Amino acid sequence: MGVSYKKLWKLIIDKDMRNVEVRKSAKISPATFTKLKKNEVVSLGVLLKICKMLECDIGDIVEVVNEVE
C-alpha cells in the first residue's frame, strides 16, 4: 500500500495557488513538501495543516493506492 497526493496537486491548481505559497502558509518544511511530491508517507499532522490551510478534508488531498511490486 502507498499514498498518492495527486488530489492535492489538482486542488492547488484549482485554487490558483502555487506550491511555495501552500508550503509557507501551512508552515511545512521544504523537506516534508519534497516527501509529498515523491508520494512518500508524511505525518497526519502535516496533512491536517494542509487541510486547514486549504479548507478541505483529508480525502480531498490524499488517497491510498495499491503498489505494484
Side-chain angles (χ1 to χ4, degrees), residues 2-63:
V3 292
S4 172
Y5 301 106
K6 285 181 185 178
K7 290 181 174 184
L8 170 62
W9 311 125
K10 183 179 181 325
L11 185 60
I12 290 171
I13 291 167
D14 290 347
K15 290 189 177 247
D16 198 27
M17 299 177 80
R18 294 179 346 141
N19 290 348
V20 69
E21 180 183 357
V22 172
R23 183 182 64 76
K24 288 181 178 180
S25 295
K27 297 183 175 131
I28 297 169
S29 74
T32 300
F33 209 76
T34 298
K35 283 185 173 185
L36 290 169
K37 288 185 173 221
K38 293 180 178 181
N39 286 322
E40 295 178 4
V41 176
V42 298
S43 73
L44 181 59
V46 169
L47 298 176
L48 292 175
K49 284 182 186 181
I50 294 169
C51 287
K52 183 177 181 182
M53 205 276 310
L54 293 174
E55 298 177 345
C56 66
D57 187 40
I58 276 190
D60 297 330
I61 64 170
V62 65
E63 65 182 337

